[in-house]
PDB file of all heavy atoms in Angstrom:
ATOM      1  N   PHE A 958     106.984 -28.450 -44.438  1.00 98.00           N
ATOM      2  CA  PHE A 958     106.127 -27.642 -43.535  1.00 98.00           C
ATOM      3  C   PHE A 958     106.382 -27.960 -42.051  1.00 98.00           C
ATOM      4  O   PHE A 958     105.527 -27.537 -41.234  1.00 98.00           O
ATOM      5  CB  PHE A 958     104.618 -27.863 -43.923  1.00 98.00           C
ATOM      6  CG  PHE A 958     104.291 -27.310 -45.317  1.00 98.00           C
ATOM      7  CD1 PHE A 958     104.237 -28.237 -46.407  1.00 98.00           C
ATOM      8  CD2 PHE A 958     104.235 -25.996 -45.562  1.00 98.00           C
ATOM      9  CE1 PHE A 958     103.932 -27.813 -47.677  1.00 98.00           C
ATOM     10  CE2 PHE A 958     103.941 -25.517 -46.886  1.00 98.00           C
ATOM     11  CZ  PHE A 958     103.886 -26.467 -47.933  1.00 98.00           C
ATOM     12  N   TYR A 959     107.375 -28.710 -41.762  1.00 98.00           N
ATOM     13  CA  TYR A 959     107.575 -29.224 -40.426  1.00 98.00           C
ATOM     14  C   TYR A 959     107.752 -28.108 -39.328  1.00 98.00           C
ATOM     15  O   TYR A 959     107.286 -28.313 -38.193  1.00 98.00           O
ATOM     16  CB  TYR A 959     108.798 -30.126 -40.347  1.00 98.00           C
ATOM     17  CG  TYR A 959     108.747 -31.188 -39.292  1.00 98.00           C
ATOM     18  CD1 TYR A 959     107.711 -32.112 -39.308  1.00 98.00           C
ATOM     19  CD2 TYR A 959     109.642 -31.225 -38.191  1.00 98.00           C
ATOM     20  CE1 TYR A 959     107.601 -33.100 -38.336  1.00 98.00           C
ATOM     21  CE2 TYR A 959     109.541 -32.200 -37.200  1.00 98.00           C
ATOM     22  CZ  TYR A 959     108.467 -33.152 -37.272  1.00 98.00           C
ATOM     23  OH  TYR A 959     108.392 -34.089 -36.303  1.00 98.00           O
ATOM     24  N   GLU A 960     108.242 -27.016 -39.758  1.00 98.00           N
ATOM     25  CA  GLU A 960     108.420 -25.866 -38.795  1.00 98.00           C
ATOM     26  C   GLU A 960     107.459 -24.713 -39.155  1.00 98.00           C
ATOM     27  O   GLU A 960     107.835 -23.566 -38.838  1.00 98.00           O
ATOM     28  CB  GLU A 960     109.866 -25.461 -38.672  1.00 98.00           C
ATOM     29  CG  GLU A 960     110.770 -26.619 -38.156  1.00 98.00           C
ATOM     30  CD  GLU A 960     112.194 -26.158 -37.997  1.00 98.00           C
ATOM     31  OE1 GLU A 960     112.442 -25.142 -37.282  1.00 98.00           O
ATOM     32  OE2 GLU A 960     113.119 -26.940 -38.342  1.00 98.00           O
ATOM     33  N   ASP A 985     105.180 -40.162 -33.741  1.00 98.00           N
ATOM     34  CA  ASP A 985     105.742 -39.120 -32.812  1.00 98.00           C
ATOM     35  C   ASP A 985     106.387 -37.934 -33.611  1.00 98.00           C
ATOM     36  O   ASP A 985     106.995 -37.064 -33.007  1.00 98.00           O
ATOM     37  CB  ASP A 985     106.789 -39.724 -31.856  1.00 98.00           C
ATOM     38  CG  ASP A 985     107.975 -40.375 -32.638  1.00 98.00           C
ATOM     39  OD1 ASP A 985     107.966 -40.382 -33.898  1.00 98.00           O
ATOM     40  OD2 ASP A 985     108.894 -40.843 -31.988  1.00 98.00           O
ATOM     41  N   GLU A 986     106.161 -37.869 -34.907  1.00 98.00           N
ATOM     42  CA  GLU A 986     106.633 -36.743 -35.654  1.00 98.00           C
ATOM     43  C   GLU A 986     105.505 -35.750 -35.702  1.00 98.00           C
ATOM     44  O   GLU A 986     104.615 -35.912 -36.515  1.00 98.00           O
ATOM     45  CB  GLU A 986     107.035 -37.155 -37.057  1.00 98.00           C
ATOM     46  CG  GLU A 986     108.299 -38.106 -37.058  1.00 98.00           C
ATOM     47  CD  GLU A 986     108.418 -39.015 -38.264  1.00 98.00           C
ATOM     48  OE1 GLU A 986     107.736 -38.718 -39.295  1.00 98.00           O
ATOM     49  OE2 GLU A 986     109.108 -40.003 -38.206  1.00 98.00           O
ATOM     50  N   VAL A 987     105.586 -34.751 -34.837  1.00 98.00           N
ATOM     51  CA  VAL A 987     104.456 -33.835 -34.597  1.00 98.00           C
ATOM     52  C   VAL A 987     104.740 -32.384 -34.941  1.00 98.00           C
ATOM     53  O   VAL A 987     104.008 -31.538 -34.457  1.00 98.00           O
ATOM     54  CB  VAL A 987     103.941 -33.993 -33.157  1.00 98.00           C
ATOM     55  CG1 VAL A 987     103.288 -35.316 -32.934  1.00 98.00           C
ATOM     56  CG2 VAL A 987     105.018 -33.747 -32.167  1.00 98.00           C
ATOM     57  N   GLY A 988     105.817 -32.145 -35.659  1.00 98.00           N
ATOM     58  CA  GLY A 988     106.206 -30.745 -36.006  1.00 98.00           C
ATOM     59  C   GLY A 988     107.232 -30.290 -34.965  1.00 98.00           C
ATOM     60  O   GLY A 988     107.440 -30.870 -33.905  1.00 98.00           O
ATOM     61  N   LYS A 989     107.778 -29.111 -35.279  1.00 98.00           N
ATOM     62  CA  LYS A 989     108.918 -28.573 -34.453  1.00 98.00           C
ATOM     63  C   LYS A 989     108.807 -27.084 -34.394  1.00 98.00           C
ATOM     64  O   LYS A 989     108.344 -26.368 -35.321  1.00 98.00           O
ATOM     65  CB  LYS A 989     110.213 -28.953 -35.197  1.00 98.00           C
ATOM     66  CG  LYS A 989     111.455 -28.765 -34.421  1.00 98.00           C
ATOM     67  CD  LYS A 989     112.649 -29.205 -35.216  1.00 98.00           C
ATOM     68  CE  LYS A 989     113.945 -28.563 -34.697  1.00 98.00           C
ATOM     69  NZ  LYS A 989     114.989 -28.739 -35.634  1.00 98.00           N
ATOM     70  N   GLY A 990     109.290 -26.497 -33.239  1.00 98.00           N
ATOM     71  CA  GLY A 990     109.222 -25.025 -33.125  1.00 98.00           C
ATOM     72  C   GLY A 990     107.847 -24.543 -33.178  1.00 98.00           C
ATOM     73  O   GLY A 990     106.904 -25.072 -32.641  1.00 98.00           O
ATOM     74  N   GLY A 992     105.971 -24.885 -35.495  1.00 98.00           N
ATOM     75  CA  GLY A 992     105.147 -25.930 -36.224  1.00 98.00           C
ATOM     76  C   GLY A 992     104.691 -27.100 -35.373  1.00 98.00           C
ATOM     77  O   GLY A 992     104.004 -27.972 -35.818  1.00 98.00           O
ATOM     78  N   LEU A 993     105.074 -26.991 -34.096  1.00 98.00           N
ATOM     79  CA  LEU A 993     104.722 -28.102 -33.153  1.00 98.00           C
ATOM     80  C   LEU A 993     103.188 -28.286 -33.084  1.00 98.00           C
ATOM     81  O   LEU A 993     102.459 -27.324 -32.850  1.00 98.00           O
ATOM     82  CB  LEU A 993     105.286 -27.819 -31.794  1.00 98.00           C
ATOM     83  CG  LEU A 993     105.263 -28.948 -30.784  1.00 98.00           C
ATOM     84  CD1 LEU A 993     106.218 -30.092 -31.184  1.00 98.00           C
ATOM     85  CD2 LEU A 993     105.564 -28.450 -29.355  1.00 98.00           C
ATOM     86  N   GLY A 994     102.727 -29.484 -33.361  1.00 98.00           N
ATOM     87  CA  GLY A 994     101.331 -29.813 -33.371  1.00 98.00           C
ATOM     88  C   GLY A 994     100.632 -29.589 -34.709  1.00 98.00           C
ATOM     89  O   GLY A 994      99.441 -29.911 -34.854  1.00 98.00           O
ATOM     90  N   PHE A 995     101.377 -29.239 -35.749  1.00 98.00           N
ATOM     91  CA  PHE A 995     100.814 -29.032 -37.057  1.00 98.00           C
ATOM     92  C   PHE A 995     101.294 -30.042 -38.028  1.00 98.00           C
ATOM     93  O   PHE A 995     101.181 -29.852 -39.271  1.00 98.00           O
ATOM     94  CB  PHE A 995     101.091 -27.596 -37.521  1.00 98.00           C
ATOM     95  CG  PHE A 995     100.433 -26.597 -36.632  1.00 98.00           C
ATOM     96  CD1 PHE A 995     101.137 -25.937 -35.622  1.00 98.00           C
ATOM     97  CD2 PHE A 995      99.059 -26.225 -36.810  1.00 98.00           C
ATOM     98  CE1 PHE A 995     100.632 -25.030 -34.803  1.00 98.00           C
ATOM     99  CE2 PHE A 995      98.454 -25.288 -35.976  1.00 98.00           C
ATOM    100  CZ  PHE A 995      99.196 -24.668 -34.992  1.00 98.00           C
ATOM    101  N   ASN A 996     101.716 -31.151 -37.476  1.00 98.00           N
ATOM    102  CA  ASN A 996     102.064 -32.350 -38.331  1.00 98.00           C
ATOM    103  C   ASN A 996     101.516 -33.584 -37.672  1.00 98.00           C
ATOM    104  O   ASN A 996     101.726 -33.829 -36.486  1.00 98.00           O
ATOM    105  CB  ASN A 996     103.514 -32.475 -38.492  1.00 98.00           C
ATOM    106  CG  ASN A 996     103.989 -33.432 -39.527  1.00 98.00           C
ATOM    107  OD1 ASN A 996     104.202 -33.059 -40.673  1.00 98.00           O
ATOM    108  ND2 ASN A 996     104.189 -34.661 -39.191  1.00 98.00           N
ATOM    109  N   LYS A 997     100.719 -34.297 -38.418  1.00 98.00           N
ATOM    110  CA  LYS A 997     100.045 -35.545 -37.857  1.00 98.00           C
ATOM    111  C   LYS A 997     100.198 -36.707 -38.797  1.00 98.00           C
ATOM    112  O   LYS A 997      99.830 -36.701 -39.948  1.00 98.00           O
ATOM    113  CB  LYS A 997      98.508 -35.258 -37.709  1.00 98.00           C
ATOM    114  CG  LYS A 997      98.172 -34.104 -36.809  1.00 98.00           C
ATOM    115  CD  LYS A 997      97.961 -34.564 -35.394  1.00 98.00           C
ATOM    116  CE  LYS A 997      97.796 -33.356 -34.452  1.00 98.00           C
ATOM    117  NZ  LYS A 997      97.770 -33.714 -33.093  1.00 98.00           N
TER     118      LYS A 997
END
Side-chain angles (χ1 to χ4, degrees):
F958 297 103
Y959 208 62
E960 297 185 48
D985 61 357
E986 295 157 16
V987 291
K989 191 177 158 194
L993 192 69
F995 297 95
N996 193 89
K997 299 271 174 186

